[in-house]
Amino acid sequence: FVNGVREYTTTTEYNFLVGRFSLFINAFPGGGVSDGGGGYLRDYRVVKGNSVYGTGTTLTVPTEPLTVITGTSLLLFQEPYISDAVGTESVSYVGGETKRFSPFSTLPYTKANHGGSVYFDGTGDWLTVANGSEQMVPEAGDFTVECWFYTANASTRMDIYSSYTASTGFGIILNFDAGGKVTTYNGNTLTNNSSSGQFRANVWNHLA
């Protein structure tokens, strides 16, 4: 069906292989790496064991987001990040990012349920907290820094927390680094450098 009108129907007998299933090549489904030309995708649903729209010649085009129905094995691109709403499949991807663009005139959103975030564009933006008589972190002992972060840039180091003073070489830095690494510094000394791929671009990552 294209825009509600059946364009073609076919049947086939085939045992689909268990293993990697490539959904998109160059953004849209295709037969080779030269296919596709980029674009937007929304509500990508795969239903197993059920011909959802039957044998009719037309269907009612959805005006609201698709839902998980009986037999749904995959439901992608409904959230402000790339995820599977069913949660049973391991989905990996290269590239792609969410945009405020949708076939629906309105999307369900409430401040109480979804909240928001602060955006820094990476060109001279930062946030500092004054160091008063009461330290934000203890001078000795344990402490925890925790946050969610989302970035389209996986190739440049960005500090999440820094109490570092360049002139004395004192303080701690927690950052995410090129190649998806998470690193910490104590003064000028690198104290931890995780392996590559620990965080991903274009999705929300939780760091503690």
Side-chain angles (χ1 to χ4, degrees), residues 1-198:
F1 298 89
V2 180
N3 293 322
V5 178
R6 182 185 291 276
E7 295 293 334
Y8 187 72
T9 184
T10 187
T11 59
T12 184
E13 293 184 8
Y14 184 77
N15 292 323
F16 289 93
L17 299 177
V18 175
R20 185 172 182 176
F21 177 43
S22 181
L23 296 180
F24 320 115
I25 297 177
N26 282 3
F28 290 132
V33 295
S34 61
D35 293 338
Y40 296 89
L41 286 166
R42 166 79 198 191
D43 280 24
Y44 191 101
R45 184 171 68 183
V46 177
V47 179
K48 181 169 59 177
N50 182 9
S51 178
V52 177
Y53 298 109
T55 59
T57 58
T58 62
L59 63 82
T60 301
V61 176
T63 57
E64 296 181 353
L66 296 179
T67 60
V68 176
I69 61 176
T70 300
T72 301
S73 55
L74 193 69
L75 180 54
L76 298 172
F77 312 136
Q78 290 195 319
E79 303 291 342
Y81 49 87
I82 299 176
S83 68
D84 173 24
V86 183
T88 58
E89 302 296 330
S90 176
V91 179
S92 61
Y93 65 94
V94 176
E97 61 179 309
T98 56
K99 298 286 189 179
R100 285 189 171 184
F101 185 60
S102 167
F104 310 117
S105 58
T106 59
L107 293 177
Y109 173 86
T110 64
K111 182 178 179 180
N113 291 334
H114 299 91
S117 59
V118 61
Y119 174 71
F120 298 94
D121 65 11
T123 57
D125 293 352
W126 64 83
L127 183 147
T128 61
V129 178
N131 188 20
S133 59
E134 295 184 4
Q135 301 290 325
M136 186 170 68
V137 298
E139 293 184 1
D142 297 336
F143 68 94
T144 301
V145 176
E146 182 175 7
C147 68
W148 287 91
F149 71 92
Y150 181 111
T151 180
N153 187 343
S155 61
T156 302
R157 194 188 86 179
M158 301 176 217
D159 293 347
I160 293 294
Y161 170 84
S162 175
S163 63
Y164 177 77
T165 302
S167 59
T168 62
F170 173 79
I172 297 173
I173 300 175
L174 171 65
N175 58 42
F176 52 94
D177 212 336
K181 300 177 182 179
V182 178
T183 63
T184 57
Y185 283 82
N186 186 356
N188 293 318
T189 302
L190 175 65
T191 58
N192 182 68
N193 187 6
S194 73
S195 57
S196 298
Q198 297 304 304

